[in-house]
Amino acid sequence: MLTRRHIRVKVMQCIYALIQSKDDSLEKQQKFLKTSIENMYNLYLLLLSLLAEIQQMADSQVKLANKSYLENTSNNYPDKSKFVNNLLLKQIVGNTSLQEELANRKLKNWYLNEEYVKLLYKEIVESDSYKSYMNSTKDSYALDRELILDLYKNVIAPNEKIYDYFEDDKLTWVDDIPIVNTFIVKQIKKSKEDQSESFFLPALLKDDADMDFALKLLSKTLLTDAELEKEIEGKTPNWDKDRIAEIDSILLKMAICELLNFSSIPEKVTINEFLEIAKEYSTPKSSIFINGILDKLVKEYKADGKLKKMGRGLL
């Protein structure tokens, strides 16, 4: 689920938080990093379970309408239970492994904040894609999946109130939301009618090596901060240290640390990864600035025999 680029971003966030808090405890930052990564999976579970909560709310509304003598717009559809019986939604609702994981992690956010489920459900039933789906007499898993994909991309993911809720809950989720939303969209696209329950509970990290990479990159960057600072100063003689954007400084130190300490990662991979992160998290000219410094350093390291790479690189 998490790529190496996402992991690098998490390390960057930890170092930035340390600078802001002026807390130089490596142990505390390592714990913060682990928690931040683990909390990302909680965010995934909550967003996925939101689909189940919406289905259950739809079910309760249909049952309520059946008991009512008043005219209801949902009764005008050929099958007012069509959305409730959406095959993909029922797959998620009936996923016992997902429910167990939510229970184990004590994730009761939607039970405690039902107003967000109501808000999304209201927007869904008012959407054109929902109305078109409910008016159609065609039934198939592919059509059901297409609807949920459309609703997730156009109603759930861009909802500002949901975004604000998650931001208030955990600040580190601000940067995680787009990543998790993109992953869920990919999961929905790949889902099949005979999908196993485990499909919706992917591993957060590919293997233990990913967490080792994260902790090593964090610790080595922090522990060699003074040396890394000198490397940057040597390549920016006309720049005042205070003029370098804080994020640029962090990314440069991380990139230099990775170049010198991770022999299995090719220098091109390291440079490209940090340039992409700079484009997203720093100033418009940051990637050009960072690229210039790293390019000079790589040439210098190669000439001095300091850059020793081997094996196939990992992203």
Side-chain angles (χ1 to χ4, degrees), residues 225-289:
D225 182 75
E227 292 91 328
L228 295 171
E229 188 79 53
K230 288 178 182 177
E231 295 283 354
I232 297 171
E233 288 175 357
K235 293 295 171 287
T236 55
N238 299 321
W239 280 74
D240 184 337
K241 183 173 71 173
D242 293 335
R243 289 176 60 197
I244 300 176
E246 202 156 47
I247 292 295
D248 290 358
S249 177
I250 293 170
L251 292 176
L252 276 168
K253 289 174 182 178
M254 287 174 61
I256 296 168
C257 177
E258 189 173 304
L259 285 169
L260 296 175
N261 295 285
F262 295 82
S263 59
S264 65
I265 305 177
E267 65 268 15
K268 286 185 179 179
V269 171
T270 295
I271 293 172
N272 288 338
E273 287 291 286
F274 282 100
L275 292 183
E276 290 303 313
I277 294 171
K279 287 175 186 176
E280 188 171 351
Y281 290 92
S282 197
T283 66
K285 295 182 179 180
S286 291
S287 60
I288 298 171
F289 172 66

Side-chain angles (χ1 to χ4, degrees), residues 164-298:
D164 291 342
Y165 166 73
F166 282 130
E167 182 180 12
D168 290 341
D169 196 338
K170 284 185 177 59
L171 190 58
T172 57
W173 277 350
V174 173
D175 292 314
D176 295 342
I177 293 171
I179 296 169
V180 173
N181 277 335
T182 300
F183 183 79
I184 289 178
V185 165
K186 288 179 180 178
Q187 288 292 89
I188 292 172
K189 285 180 180 178
K190 292 188 291 184
S191 64
K192 298 176 183 178
E193 192 167 3
D194 58 350
Q195 204 79 66
S196 66
E197 288 195 350
S198 61
F199 172 78
F200 291 104
L201 292 170
L204 175 62
L205 299 172
K206 187 170 65 175
D207 50 38
D208 291 341
D210 279 346
M211 184 60 81
D212 292 340
F213 167 76
L215 295 172
K216 184 179 177 182
L217 182 59
L218 175 68
S219 59
K220 283 195 172 291
T221 302
L222 292 176
L223 292 172
T224 59
D225 182 75
E227 292 91 328
L228 295 171
E229 188 79 53
K230 288 178 182 177
E231 295 283 354
I232 297 171
E233 288 175 357
K235 293 295 171 287
T236 55
N238 299 321
W239 280 74
D240 184 337
K241 183 173 71 173
D242 293 335
R243 289 176 60 197
I244 300 176
E246 202 156 47
I247 292 295
D248 290 358
S249 177
I250 293 170
L251 292 176
L252 276 168
K253 289 174 182 178
M254 287 174 61
I256 296 168
C257 177
E258 189 173 304
L259 285 169
L260 296 175
N261 295 285
F262 295 82
S263 59
S264 65
I265 305 177
E267 65 268 15
K268 286 185 179 179
V269 171
T270 295
I271 293 172
N272 288 338
E273 287 291 286
F274 282 100
L275 292 183
E276 290 303 313
I277 294 171
K279 287 175 186 176
E280 188 171 351
Y281 290 92
S282 197
T283 66
K285 295 182 179 180
S286 291
S287 60
I288 298 171
F289 172 66
I290 290 173
N291 186 50
I293 294 175
L294 293 180
D295 186 56
K296 289 178 185 177
L297 285 171
V298 165

Side-chain angles (χ1 to χ4, degrees), residues 118-166:
K118 290 179 180 177
L119 181 151
L120 286 173
Y121 178 67
K122 183 175 182 294
E123 288 190 23
I124 284 171
V125 296
E126 291 174 353
S127 69
D128 291 337
S129 55
Y130 175 86
K131 292 174 184 176
S132 176
Y133 172 81
M134 292 298 289
N135 278 316
S136 173
T137 55
K138 294 180 180 179
D139 287 307
S140 73
Y141 185 87
L143 290 172
D144 286 359
R145 180 180 58 206
E146 185 181 335
L147 172 74
I148 302 308
L149 181 62
D150 183 81
L151 292 176
Y152 196 89
K153 288 166 67 176
N154 298 305
V155 178
I156 299 173
N159 189 281
E160 290 187 8
K161 290 187 178 179
I162 294 293
Y163 182 92
D164 291 342
Y165 166 73
F166 282 130

Side-chain angles (χ1 to χ4, degrees), residues 58-66 68 70-84 121 125 130-131 134-135:
D59 187 36
S60 65
Q61 290 299 309
V62 169
K63 289 175 180 175
L64 189 64
N66 286 338
S68 175
L70 299 175
E71 187 68 25
N72 189 295
T73 54
S74 66
N75 292 329
N76 296 329
Y77 294 123
D79 178 7
K80 60 186 178 182
S81 297
K82 186 176 182 181
F83 182 75
V84 173
Y121 178 67
V125 296
Y130 175 86
K131 292 174 184 176
M134 292 298 289
N135 278 316

